[in-house]
Amino acid sequence: MVLNDPGFEEEDPNFLSRSERYDQAVRKSAQMVLKMREYGIADPEELYCYKSCVHPGRPEPFDLHLGMFLPTLLNQATSEQMDRFFMPAWNLEIIGTYAQTEMGHGTHIRGLETTATYDPVTQEFIINSPTVSSIKWWPGGLGKTSNHAIVLAQLYTQGTCHGLHAFIVPIRDLDTHKPLPGIVVGDIGPKFGFNEVDNGFLKLDHVRIPRENMLMKYAKVDPDGTYIKPPSAKLTYGTMVFIRSLIVGESARALAKSTTIAIRYSAVRHQSEIRPGEPEPQILDYQTQQYKLFPVLAMAYAFTFVGQYMNQMYYRITGDINQGDFSELPELHALSAGLKAFTTWAANSAIEVCRMSCGGHGYSRSSALPDIYVEFTPSCTYEGENTVMMLQTARYLIKSYRQARAGQRLHGIVSYLNEEGRQRIQPQLVAARSTGVDINDLSSLVEIYKLRAATLVELAAKSIQKELQHKKSQEDAWNNSAIDLVRASDAHCHYVVVKLFAEKLGKIDAAPIHSVLLTLARLYALHGISINSGDFLQAGLLNGSQIPQITNCIKELLSELRPNAVALVDAFDIHDRMLNSVLGRYDGNVYEHMFEWARRSPLNSTEVHESFHKYLKPLRSKL
Amino acid sequence: MVLNDPGFEEEDPNFLSRSERYDQAVRKSAQMVLKMREYGIADPEELYCYKSCVHPGRPEPFDLHLGMFLPTLLNQATSEQMDRFFMPAWNLEIIGTYAQTEMGHGTHIRGLETTATYDPVTQEFIINSPTVSSIKWWPGGLGKTSNHAIVLAQLYTQGTCHGLHAFIVPIRDLDTHKPLPGIVVGDIGPKFGFNEVDNGFLKLDHVRIPRENMLMKYAKVDPDGTYIKPPSAKLTYGTMVFIRSLIVGESARALAKSTTIAIRYSAVRHQSEIRPGEPEPQILDYQTQQYKLFPVLAMAYAFTFVGQYMNQMYYRITGDINQGDFSELPELHALSAGLKAFTTWAANSAIEVCRMSCGGHGYSRSSALPDIYVEFTPSCTYEGENTVMMLQTARYLIKSYRQARAGQRLHGIVSYLNEEGRQRIQPQLVAARSTGVDINDLSSLVEIYKLRAATLVELAAKSIQKELQHKKSQEDAWNNSAIDLVRASDAHCHYVVVKLFAEKLGKIDAAPIHSVLLTLARLYALHGISINSGDFLQAGLLNGSQIPQITNCIKELLSELRPNAVALVDAFDIHDRMLNSVLGRYDGNVYEHMFEWARRSPLNSTEVHESFHKYLKPLRSKL
């Protein structure tokens, strides 16, 4: 529907200025909203899919209106507020954004400085940015597109601060779109990617809004200024799990695109020689190229399955929550934080491996790889900065470890921290003994990933213990063990990914598919062991002589995958128009289309650039 | 001189379109040439320094004219050719580029397809692009700026191909700047960085140039078509060493800039809490932040010293060559290939570590970090693709290893491959024994880096041996061992860097400087061991219980460096105007300048973007 719609035709954004890119994105988004109404697309997953086709791989100016403003109204607005705001917002009379992050504070939201002070005389809130660092910064669509913002601010009433609450603040005139009095709003300037989005700033100078503009479904402020607390809101856990499961899915998709481009191109590109006198081989025949790309291909599949698992998990939890059962939430919340960080970091590096595996042409915007990178990399920072996420997961792991030590019996994914699991690890004997691990057996590999995680959690816990024995406070002990804690979380997540990949194989009946996915799973697991071999050796889970065996096994897996590699990326089934890469074209006709693309570059619109007449020709006479 | 010259004032390129960026760069380059004449700047190092100030951190359209076209004339033109071309080129009547890379071939230059066929009847060469993949692609300044190109082409005369030779080809009319007949030339389109440069394409359709336009200082073609071979040209080795030593220096400079920005900003940014109730700490007080940035800081210093060493080495070799002594060339050529790859890969990742350590603001172009990355990352590919470079170094290492096995005595940096060195390594005993390494002693660390390199070279050699025993050809054995070969080169280079850092310390007398550099050197060495601990454990150079000791030692070094960290980046002495980063400002006044910068963003030049009137307002009536 999207590909055949002339209303969505576009110029390659790489040929446009920032303002033209924004302009084109708004045009397409306006068309998109019309079409979604026409086709009756309202289901969130359908909407997400349709939007992904309209703006393939690119965030757009309406993202926060559709993805944050409307859902926040649905979740937190009273019925009176729904009446006032929802339909106008649905009909784009009101275009909104979600203004949380400030120049001075991101992930640590308790530190936000914007204030909302209740004035019982006029029954208004006074929204104010008291400092430069309190200026709202980054919200998508805030700069030029939105006329409303849901502003997160510290609520003050009757002289007391009650922490962060959400307020609906009109920021531009509905008719003229000009900023309202007291509002300084604009675009935060060019970024690494996100060129279509007007990420904005918002400075509020004692802006008054009616009491009824505080989102009051849960917390409330009475007309006299009396504050009424919200019931405890564990529901937000579920939303975070959902968003983070989407990000894990995005990691998988970014890898699917990158490997599709790099592996197809590596089958098209012929270069140099392996055997003298023979024709130049496809660069995919070089072991070094396979070693760059096939582990990333395996990772793309692994993260796809993890994303699916988390999505299903989210729906299961939502069911549990509706039944009043919150028991699994803490573990899953911790897991989703860690997996968000683990998958985005890994994908972030892997995209660049794919790009650089394409040689010079990977630097051309026509390859699409630079765009994939710059649109993806922010996921390492937004929705919870990755290091902070890893430390959140670590907090859960350490708590679980201590519970196990105190004799509690752990369930679920951290059950490996139970006493009997730990007894199997004896780091002190480590290096000497020969291990019973069968490197050809996937379940055996899952097992040593588990034991590695257990070892590193224990090391982190002991580091904290040691610090405490040196009379450090809990907080300093924590900070002084942070390196170990991040490492423990990383190992935990790595174990979960390998485990989920292995479990997925159990659900696949078709023998040929099972076979090739098993090859990928083994490669994923062995490659991870290889690049983290120190952990496994140190913990005595492998001995030194097994490392060269693992290297040999990896080489065999690379050879096994070689004939299937192109089919394995074709299976991601990414349409050429969605991929938008001359290197990754399905038909392999790379060079002609690269030439054609280049000729359309704006710098070629004139034969002679005006700078020749302005600067170069006059220069001659001056020399 | 540059900073005070109003002729070099500029708009932030991030606020300009591609065409405007190119235009601004040409304007500044024209001014630069005038000023260099005025001030009499001709010494290559002075010129490089002046140019770096005019275009800080950004390649520019004249780079190949100044850095390749003129030097190639100097090195390879006959005196008749010098008369015809040099002064016009010096005076910018002729603006040239160096057209080697083609769409289909980069590092593997023997595969280039462009032909130069001699026609004795007219005494001309016919330069031709026989295929789409033979179109010249990437040369800087080729797209719009140059009117001449030195074209590398396969020389055919009297029915025989004599391989690659260089030809001076006029491509645009000197007066009108229009492309000449038979020439299709233009810009290759937008890239990941290099926005100021018109990297170009050049398609030659049987373009005739006079015989005298072949660069004939060495090889020659007589009027009748007789080909005269060049004397063997080992001199090009020296040039490659020089260029690669420059790239190592660029790695160091990119890291110096990145760490200056990230460390200063981490001292300005306050966030979250370590101890409840206390003010928000500087994020540089978090162990995880130190663990991200201080190893990169240590790397910046390490690579600075390696760059200096290579530069001195180049001048020493040049002296040797002039004396007719080529004995050290092969080793140094191999070393420079590996170090180019080692330092650019490491810096490439480290720049992104610095960027992401700045949280959201690292994504803003105002941080300068995105620009540092995109301008730097091509160095992993140009002047020899990194994996190919690593394999070149490996070839030398394997050859040396075999010589040692055959009883030859090796000298220089590979002397560790001599028999008596190898006897000290007994991988099979590895894991069991406790090693005598003192992790607090830098020379002891240098020693185990050396032994690690020796082990990995041996492993790679054995892998080849094993393949040969399985009846593989030499070439297949090599390809099937490529993973091990790259790993061996990497370990060799890592050893050299640690060794050079340690040697540098021996030349520093001032105790306080020696002390802080020793801390950096130890951190560099221990961090490298920590992330490659598998190699050291596998080789029995460390035992399992030493790994946690190393982690503890790293933590202590991070704490030691904390009070000196800002001073250590200040010591790089990068002027604010050269750094051009709101996050990295010397005065630390980050937030106000970020706001000021954002307000200048072109999207803020109007209060209401035209897209509102074009798309958003009309949309309301349609819904």
Side-chain angles (χ1 to χ4, degrees):
Chain A
M1 282 152 59
V2 173
L3 296 180
N4 295 327
D5 189 332
F8 293 123
E9 275 172 18
E10 64 166 14
E11 178 56 285
D12 187 325
N14 285 303
F15 293 154
L16 304 178
S17 72
R18 171 87 202 290
S19 179
E20 291 164 341
R21 289 177 79 143
Y22 171 71
D23 192 275
Q24 174 163 282
V26 173
R27 172 175 67 72
K28 288 172 63 188
S29 292
Q31 172 79 354
M32 174 178 82
V33 170
L34 275 177
K35 289 290 174 173
M36 290 195 307
R37 302 290 159 89
E38 184 182 330
Y39 298 137
I41 297 171
D43 171 81
E45 296 203 4
E46 281 186 1
L47 198 146
Y48 182 79
C49 171
Y50 192 79
K51 203 182 88 60
S52 305
C53 292
V54 174
H55 298 281
R58 293 192 294 268
E60 49 100 7
F62 282 28
D63 276 348
L64 268 78
H65 178 74
L66 298 170
M68 288 296 293
F69 189 79
L70 290 174
T72 304
L73 287 182
L74 282 170
N75 291 331
Q76 298 186 37
T78 62
S79 59
E80 179 274 331
Q81 289 171 330
M82 284 297 282
D83 289 345
R84 263 195 300 150
F85 294 110
F86 194 80
M87 282 315 293
W90 188 247
N91 286 325
L92 292 175
E93 194 185 352
I94 287 176
I95 302 174
T97 181
Y98 189 84
Q100 175 177 300
T101 298
E102 295 173 0
M103 207 190 260
H105 288 89
T107 299
H108 179 62
I109 62 170
R110 272 180 298 149
L112 295 173
E113 298 173 83
T114 303
T115 54
T117 309
Y118 186 64
D119 177 358
V121 179
T122 59
Q123 300 198 8
E124 289 172 320
F125 290 102
I126 305 160
I127 315 285
N128 193 45
S129 311
T131 59
V132 173
S133 58
S134 75
I135 297 171
K136 292 293 175 186
W137 206 264
W138 282 111
L142 171 61
K144 309 304 285 185
T145 314
S146 301
N147 52 28
H148 279 68
I150 291 175
V151 172
L152 276 278
Q154 305 286 355
L155 167 62
Y156 285 86
T157 179
Q158 298 177 335
T160 310
C161 179
H162 297 282
L164 284 181
H165 290 75
F167 303 84
I168 301 177
V169 183
I171 56 173
R172 287 176 180 270
D173 183 275
L174 286 191
D175 196 47
T176 65
H177 210 61
K178 295 219 165 149
L180 295 171
I183 302 282
V184 180
V185 64
D187 177 81
I188 62 165
K191 297 141 295 186
F192 204 34
F194 278 55
N195 283 299
E196 274 68 26
V197 182
D198 52 324
N199 297 83
F201 60 77
L202 175 63
K203 188 168 180 295
L204 299 132
D205 184 8
H206 298 90
V207 171
R208 287 180 169 260
I209 57 167
R211 185 184 68 91
E212 295 80 5
N213 276 24
M214 173 175 155
L215 286 172
M216 294 224 227
K217 185 161 173 187
Y218 301 113
K220 290 181 181 61
V221 171
D222 282 344
D224 68 351
T226 305
Y227 175 71
I228 298 157
K229 269 199 235 177
S232 101
K234 281 200 176 172
L235 282 163
T236 57
Y237 271 40
T239 312
M240 278 194 270
V241 170
F242 180 63
I243 291 173
R244 289 172 190 161
S245 78
L246 283 183
I247 294 177
V248 172
E250 290 296 337
S251 300
R253 256 180 297 279
L255 291 175
K257 281 183 168 186
S258 304
T259 51
T260 298
I261 296 165
I263 287 176
R264 284 183 182 164
Y265 176 63
S266 298
V268 168
R269 180 81 168 178
H270 291 254
Q271 196 77 180
S272 198
E273 55 187 24
I274 293 176
R275 300 181 199 92
E278 294 192 8
E280 295 183 299
Q282 293 161 295
I283 59 174
L284 200 53
D285 287 333
Y286 289 94
Q287 188 180 68
T288 46
Q289 189 77 350
Q290 295 170 5
Y291 188 64
K292 287 174 190 173
L293 294 178
F294 295 172
V296 181
L297 178 63
M299 191 193 287
Y301 275 89
F303 291 179
T304 301
F305 300 141
V306 175
Q308 288 170 355
Y309 168 85
M310 289 184 74
N311 192 260
Q312 288 154 8
M313 182 172 83
Y314 166 73
Y315 284 111
R316 185 164 56 80
I317 296 169
T318 310
D320 291 348
I321 292 172
N322 291 342
Q323 311 275 319
D325 176 5
F326 295 87
S327 60
E328 281 190 278
L329 263 180
E331 170 164 306
L332 296 172
H333 178 247
L335 183 64
S336 68
L339 283 176
K340 180 267 185 187
F342 181 83
T343 59
T344 55
W345 265 336
N348 193 69
S349 303
I351 295 165
E352 285 298 83
V353 169
C354 290
R355 184 178 62 74
M356 293 202 276
S357 79
C358 295
H361 295 323
Y363 296 86
S364 169
R365 293 274 173 181
S366 69
S367 73
L369 289 162
D371 287 324
I372 293 172
Y373 185 65
V374 298
E375 304 300 1
F376 180 78
T377 181
S379 63
C380 295
T381 305
Y382 63 50
E383 297 299 333
E385 195 278 329
N386 275 359
T387 302
V388 177
M389 292 298 96
M390 282 298 196
L391 288 171
Q392 278 190 11
T393 299
R395 202 169 284 279
Y396 181 77
L397 294 172
I398 294 297
K399 193 175 147 197
S400 301
Y401 172 85
R402 286 177 181 162
Q403 285 170 342
R405 293 282 283 195
Q408 276 190 50
R409 191 159 175 76
L410 302 175
H411 297 281
I413 222 154
V414 290
S415 57
Y416 65 82
L417 295 172
N418 284 325
E419 281 298 317
E420 77 276 13
R422 280 221 319 293
Q423 281 160 6
R424 299 168 60 178
I425 322 161
Q426 307 186 1
Q428 62 283 12
L429 297 183
V430 172
R433 66 183 162 132
S434 88
T435 67
V437 175
D438 176 2
I439 62 167
N440 294 306
D441 174 44
L442 185 58
S443 60
S444 195
L445 300 179
V446 175
E447 188 66 17
I448 61 171
Y449 268 98
K450 183 170 91 180
L451 296 174
R452 170 191 178 225
T455 309
L456 291 179
V457 172
E458 178 148 48
L459 268 178
K462 285 185 173 163
S463 169
I464 295 172
Q465 200 54 40
K466 202 189 78 186
E467 292 287 329
L468 291 173
Q469 282 159 1
H470 286 80
K471 313 249 182 249
K472 293 280 169 59
S473 67
Q474 278 288 351
E475 294 78 17
D476 286 333
W478 181 264
N479 186 35
N480 291 346
S481 306
I483 296 173
D484 312 279
L485 290 162
V486 170
R487 208 172 275 167
S489 285
D490 180 77
H492 175 73
C493 294
H494 212 152
Y495 156 60
V496 172
V497 174
V498 174
K499 178 173 174 283
L500 291 176
F501 204 158
E503 285 175 5
K504 179 76 186 182
L505 287 174
K507 293 172 196 154
I508 290 167
D509 294 326
I513 294 173
H514 187 278
S515 164
V516 73
L517 286 179
L518 177 60
T519 309
L520 285 171
R522 289 179 58 212
L523 179 62
Y524 181 77
L526 288 172
H527 182 260
I529 291 170
S530 172
I531 57 175
N532 295 287
S533 61
D535 290 351
F536 293 89
L537 289 168
Q538 185 195 340
L541 301 168
L542 292 171
N543 62 46
S545 67
Q546 287 175 305
I547 302 299
Q549 291 169 24
I550 287 174
T551 305
N552 285 334
C553 192
I554 288 173
K555 289 179 186 176
E556 285 163 19
L557 294 171
L558 296 179
S559 298
E560 262 179 59
L561 281 172
R562 171 65 185 89
N564 287 319
V566 173
L568 282 165
V569 297
D570 287 351
F572 292 129
D573 195 23
I574 303 169
H575 193 285
D576 269 350
R577 294 260 303 273
M578 297 293 111
L579 201 57
N580 199 26
S581 165
V582 295
L583 298 189
R585 293 173 60 87
Y586 184 75
D587 68 7
N589 196 352
V590 167
Y591 295 132
E592 282 182 24
H593 284 92
M594 187 178 291
F595 190 35
E596 188 188 290
W597 181 85
R599 298 193 80 164
R600 284 169 36 220
S601 168
L603 228 48
N604 296 326
S605 63
T606 54
E607 268 196 332
V608 178
H609 193 267
E610 54 181 339
S611 58
F612 173 76
H613 300 291
K614 278 153 64 183
Y615 312 120
L616 295 183
K617 206 164 179 194
L619 188 63
R620 292 180 191 165
S621 57
K622 294 184 194 160
L623 288 166
Chain B
M1 281 153 61
V2 173
L3 295 181
N4 295 326
D5 188 333
F8 292 124
E9 276 172 18
E10 64 168 13
E11 178 57 285
D12 188 324
N14 285 304
F15 293 155
L16 303 178
S17 72
R18 171 88 202 291
S19 179
E20 290 164 343
R21 289 177 80 143
Y22 171 71
D23 192 274
Q24 175 164 282
V26 173
R27 174 177 65 72
K28 288 172 64 189
S29 291
Q31 171 79 354
M32 175 178 81
V33 170
L34 276 178
K35 289 292 173 171
M36 290 194 308
R37 302 289 159 88
E38 184 182 330
Y39 298 137
I41 297 171
D43 171 82
E45 296 202 4
E46 281 186 0
L47 199 145
Y48 182 79
C49 172
Y50 193 79
K51 204 183 87 59
S52 307
C53 293
V54 173
H55 298 281
R58 294 192 295 266
E60 50 102 5
F62 282 29
D63 275 347
L64 267 78
H65 178 74
L66 298 170
M68 288 296 293
F69 190 79
L70 291 174
T72 304
L73 288 182
L74 283 170
N75 292 330
Q76 299 186 38
T78 63
S79 60
E80 180 273 329
Q81 289 171 331
M82 285 297 281
D83 289 346
R84 264 196 299 150
F85 295 109
F86 194 81
M87 281 316 292
W90 187 247
N91 287 324
L92 292 174
E93 193 183 353
I94 287 176
I95 302 173
T97 182
Y98 190 85
Q100 175 177 300
T101 297
E102 296 173 358
M103 206 189 262
H105 288 88
T107 299
H108 180 63
I109 63 171
R110 272 181 296 149
L112 295 174
E113 298 174 83
T114 303
T115 54
T117 310
Y118 185 64
D119 176 359
V121 178
T122 60
Q123 300 198 10
E124 289 171 321
F125 290 102
I126 304 160
I127 315 283
N128 192 45
S129 311
T131 60
V132 173
S133 57
S134 76
I135 296 171
K136 294 291 177 187
W137 205 263
W138 283 109
L142 171 60
K144 309 305 285 184
T145 315
S146 301
N147 53 27
H148 279 69
I150 290 175
V151 172
L152 275 279
Q154 304 286 355
L155 167 63
Y156 285 86
T157 178
Q158 298 178 335
T160 309
C161 179
H162 297 282
L164 284 180
H165 289 75
F167 302 84
I168 301 178
V169 182
I171 56 173
R172 288 177 179 269
D173 183 274
L174 285 191
D175 197 45
T176 66
H177 209 62
K178 294 218 164 149
L180 295 171
I183 301 281
V184 181
V185 63
D187 177 82
I188 62 164
K191 298 141 295 185
F192 204 35
F194 278 55
N195 283 300
E196 274 68 28
V197 182
D198 53 324
N199 297 83
F201 60 77
L202 174 64
K203 188 168 180 295
L204 299 132
D205 184 9
H206 299 90
V207 171
R208 287 179 170 263
I209 57 167
R211 185 185 66 91
E212 294 81 5
N213 277 22
M214 172 174 155
L215 287 172
M216 295 222 227
K217 185 162 173 187
Y218 301 113
K220 290 181 181 60
V221 172
D222 281 344
D224 67 351
T226 305
Y227 176 71
I228 298 157
K229 267 200 235 177
S232 99
K234 281 201 177 170
L235 281 162
T236 57
Y237 272 39
T239 311
M240 278 195 269
V241 170
F242 180 63
I243 291 174
R244 289 172 189 162
S245 78
L246 282 183
I247 294 178
V248 172
E250 290 296 338
S251 300
R253 256 180 296 279
L255 291 175
K257 281 183 168 185
S258 304
T259 51
T260 299
I261 295 166
I263 288 177
R264 283 183 183 164
Y265 175 63
S266 298
V268 168
R269 180 81 167 178
H270 291 255
Q271 195 78 179
S272 197
E273 53 187 24
I274 293 176
R275 300 181 199 93
E278 294 191 9
E280 295 184 299
Q282 294 162 295
I283 59 173
L284 200 52
D285 287 333
Y286 288 95
Q287 188 180 68
T288 46
Q289 189 76 350
Q290 294 170 6
Y291 188 64
K292 287 174 190 172
L293 295 177
F294 295 171
V296 181
L297 178 64
M299 191 192 287
Y301 274 90
F303 291 179
T304 300
F305 301 140
V306 175
Q308 288 169 355
Y309 168 85
M310 289 184 74
N311 192 261
Q312 288 155 9
M313 182 171 84
Y314 166 74
Y315 285 110
R316 186 164 55 81
I317 297 169
T318 310
D320 290 350
I321 292 172
N322 292 341
Q323 311 277 318
D325 175 5
F326 294 87
S327 59
E328 281 191 277
L329 262 180
E331 169 164 307
L332 296 173
H333 178 249
L335 183 64
S336 69
L339 284 176
K340 180 269 186 186
F342 182 82
T343 59
T344 54
W345 265 336
N348 194 69
S349 303
I351 294 166
E352 285 296 84
V353 169
C354 290
R355 184 178 61 75
M356 293 202 275
S357 79
C358 295
H361 296 323
Y363 296 86
S364 170
R365 293 273 172 181
S366 69
S367 73
L369 289 162
D371 287 324
I372 293 171
Y373 185 64
V374 298
E375 304 300 1
F376 180 77
T377 181
S379 63
C380 295
T381 304
Y382 63 50
E383 296 300 332
E385 195 279 327
N386 275 0
T387 302
V388 177
M389 292 299 96
M390 282 298 195
L391 288 170
Q392 279 190 10
T393 299
R395 202 170 285 279
Y396 181 77
L397 293 172
I398 295 297
K399 194 175 147 199
S400 301
Y401 172 86
R402 287 177 179 160
Q403 287 171 340
R405 293 283 283 195
Q408 275 191 51
R409 186 155 180 79
L410 302 175
H411 298 281
I413 222 154
V414 290
S415 57
Y416 64 82
L417 295 172
N418 284 326
E419 282 298 319
E420 76 277 12
R422 282 224 316 293
Q423 282 161 6
R424 298 169 59 178
I425 321 161
Q426 307 186 2
Q428 62 282 14
L429 296 182
V430 171
R433 66 179 161 133
S434 89
T435 66
V437 175
D438 176 2
I439 61 167
N440 294 306
D441 175 44
L442 185 58
S443 60
S444 195
L445 301 179
V446 175
E447 187 66 17
I448 61 171
Y449 268 97
K450 183 170 90 182
L451 296 173
R452 170 193 177 221
T455 309
L456 291 178
V457 172
E458 178 148 48
L459 269 177
K462 286 186 172 162
S463 168
I464 295 172
Q465 200 53 42
K466 201 189 78 186
E467 293 286 329
L468 291 173
Q469 283 161 0
H470 286 80
K471 312 247 183 254
K472 294 280 169 59
S473 67
Q474 278 286 352
E475 294 78 17
D476 286 332
W478 181 265
N479 186 35
N480 291 344
S481 307
I483 296 174
D484 311 278
L485 290 162
V486 171
R487 208 172 277 167
S489 283
D490 180 78
H492 175 73
C493 294
H494 212 152
Y495 156 61
V496 171
V497 174
V498 174
K499 177 172 174 286
L500 291 175
F501 204 159
E503 285 175 7
K504 179 75 185 182
L505 287 174
K507 293 171 194 155
I508 291 166
D509 293 326
I513 293 173
H514 187 279
S515 164
V516 73
L517 286 180
L518 177 60
T519 308
L520 285 172
R522 289 179 58 213
L523 178 62
Y524 181 78
L526 288 172
H527 182 260
I529 291 171
S530 171
I531 57 175
N532 296 287
S533 60
D535 289 351
F536 293 89
L537 289 169
Q538 185 194 341
L541 301 168
L542 292 172
N543 61 46
S545 66
Q546 286 174 306
I547 302 300
Q549 290 168 24
I550 287 173
T551 305
N552 285 335
C553 192
I554 288 173
K555 290 179 186 176
E556 284 163 20
L557 294 171
L558 297 179
S559 297
E560 262 179 60
L561 280 171
R562 171 63 184 92
N564 287 320
V566 173
L568 282 165
V569 297
D570 287 351
F572 292 130
D573 196 23
I574 304 169
H575 192 285
D576 269 349
R577 294 261 302 273
M578 297 293 109
L579 201 57
N580 199 24
S581 164
V582 295
L583 298 189
R585 295 173 59 87
Y586 184 75
D587 67 8
N589 196 351
V590 167
Y591 295 131
E592 281 182 23
H593 284 92
M594 187 178 289
F595 189 37
E596 189 188 290
W597 181 86
R599 298 193 79 165
R600 284 168 37 220
S601 167
L603 230 47
N604 296 326
S605 63
T606 53
E607 268 196 330
V608 178
H609 193 268
E610 54 181 339
S611 58
F612 173 76
H613 301 291
K614 277 154 63 183
Y615 312 120
L616 295 184
K617 206 164 178 192
L619 187 64
R620 291 181 192 165
S621 56
K622 294 185 196 160
L623 289 167

